Amino acid sequence: MTDLVIRALTEGDADLFHTLRVPPLVGRGRFGHTYATVGRGGEYRPEWTWVALREGRVVARAAWWAGPDDPAPKALDWFDFAEGEADAAAELLRTAPLRAEYSLLAPPGWRDRPEERAAVRARVDAAVAGGFEPLVERYRYEWTPECGLPERPGRLEFRPEPDDAVIEEVLRRVMPGTLDAHDRRALARGGVEAAVRELMDFLSWCPSPREWWRLAWTPEGDLAGIQVPAHNPGGPCVGFIGVVAERRGHGYAYDLLVECTHDLVARGATRIAAATDQPNLPMAAHFARAGYPVTQERIDLV
């Protein structure tokens, strides 16, 4: 094969990105915007968009995404390559000086359909060859009014808490025994304080108001947990559900999820996105009970 040229795009040649045609069997990363550069009214920066060219033809592409004020990418949002060019795609990832999580979206039950299974495996294998490692597979949900608004159980009282120091202490109490792979990774890398800071940074980064966050209390005055209705760049979402370790075993995560759903609907949401790790069977059961259908599966690689 001829030698590869791997480079970032510029505003002047950003249209090269669209010259690669790949079958739409699996989706892009978690943000999944239509590709257009900031200079053309989109959300992608050409210096964060890299291509691999062979004889001037794009054979692999990758686009990292971040919010307009972010100094570094938040996610690898596009990663595609032509048939037979998995090695070029891996080399692209190794060459580009950008690092962020890659979340590959796939249809529910993708393993049961050979074409989709092959497409997912090819992307994952190329990403691993390019330096990523799989972290967890997740269910992605989307609630709409047709799903029905779940009835509040009425077991908990919800109150705002404006003090970040109080919120951080609640999150410290949520972390022990967490089933969330991202939290467990943060705990392993830097301990409880690092895990709390990472979560606070994400929740604060979301464009929804800080005033929406709610702590949950039992009628006896005991703290049960925290729920954060939020907006991410795609719209309304379940930002965070957490039960403090000493209150687990009572199904309170369901109460938190229902309250979060009601809060978002009261603020005008007609679609609510959410996600949980597939191994987190209790939370997956709560989403099913609350009427949240699985609309996609997600493979997170770091």
Side-chain angles (χ1 to χ4, degrees):
M1 284 191 176
T2 56
D3 291 339
L4 283 177
V5 174
I6 297 176
R7 65 173 177 86
L9 294 179
T10 67
E11 194 66 56
D13 64 7
D15 286 340
L16 274 175
F17 188 86
H18 297 289
T19 63
L20 177 63
R21 306 295 183 186
V22 293
L25 292 174
V26 296
R28 301 190 303 277
R30 70 174 65 180
F31 294 111
H33 305 295
T34 299
Y35 185 85
T37 62
V38 173
R40 302 185 186 192
E43 301 192 49
Y44 293 91
R45 309 179 199 188
E47 66 272 21
W48 289 356
T49 304
W50 283 64
V51 294
L53 301 113
R54 199 184 298 282
E55 296 183 340
R57 180 174 63 90
V58 175
V59 296
R61 64 187 179 186
W64 284 261
W65 180 92
D69 299 322
D70 292 321
K74 290 289 186 185
L76 172 58
D77 201 35
W78 288 74
F79 180 50
D80 297 302
F81 48 92
E83 186 175 355
E85 293 288 358
D87 290 345
E91 184 64 23
L92 186 159
L93 294 181
R94 290 192 293 267
T95 302
L98 301 164
R99 300 293 178 265
E101 184 171 311
Y102 174 41
S103 296
L104 174 61
L105 298 179
W110 57 270
R111 282 186 172 87
D112 299 329
R113 294 177 290 277
E115 282 190 286
E116 292 173 4
R117 183 172 66 247
V120 170
R121 291 312 323 168
R123 297 271 190 96
V124 170
D125 290 346
V128 169
F132 284 80
E133 62 180 41
L135 176 64
V136 70
E137 295 189 24
R138 292 169 67 82
Y139 293 120
R140 186 182 182 277
Y141 304 91
E142 187 172 271
W143 180 94
T144 61
E146 290 74 22
C147 301
L149 191 59
E151 184 178 349
R152 287 181 167 109
R155 298 190 298 169
L156 300 175
E157 300 173 5
F158 294 87
R159 308 172 198 161
E161 176 48 67
D163 189 341
D164 280 359
V166 174
I167 296 292
E168 289 170 3
E169 180 56 30
V170 172
L171 295 180
R172 292 186 191 99
R173 294 170 62 181
V174 167
M175 288 298 168
T178 178
L179 297 178
D180 183 271
H182 288 82
D183 289 344
R184 292 165 71 94
R185 178 173 183 259
L187 287 166
R189 288 158 60 96
V192 172
E193 294 307 315
V196 169
R197 177 45 47 200
E198 184 174 300
L199 185 52
M200 285 291 290
D201 286 347
F202 166 72
L203 295 175
S204 300
W205 173 82
C206 290
S208 42
R210 166 66 174 79
E211 292 75 20
W212 290 6
W213 304 9
R214 294 289 184 270
L215 297 185
W217 304 82
T218 69
E220 295 75 29
D222 296 319
L223 177 69
I226 178 174
Q227 62 95 356
V228 179
H231 275 224
N232 65 23
C237 67
V238 177
F240 183 71
I241 299 291
V243 177
V244 295
E246 63 270 27
R247 294 295 165 195
R248 292 189 184 130
H250 302 285
Y252 286 145
Y254 176 76
D255 303 51
L256 299 176
L257 173 61
V258 170
E259 189 68 18
C260 187
T261 305
H262 277 264
D263 283 354
L264 288 167
V265 169
R267 295 180 172 98
T270 56
R271 293 184 181 273
I272 302 171
T276 196
D277 293 358
Q278 292 187 14
N280 190 345
L281 300 180
M283 197 66 221
H286 293 321
F287 275 112
R289 180 184 172 194
Y292 277 73
V294 176
T295 54
Q296 290 172 310
E297 295 184 35
R298 194 174 105 190
I299 301 129
D300 288 351
L301 301 98
V302 294

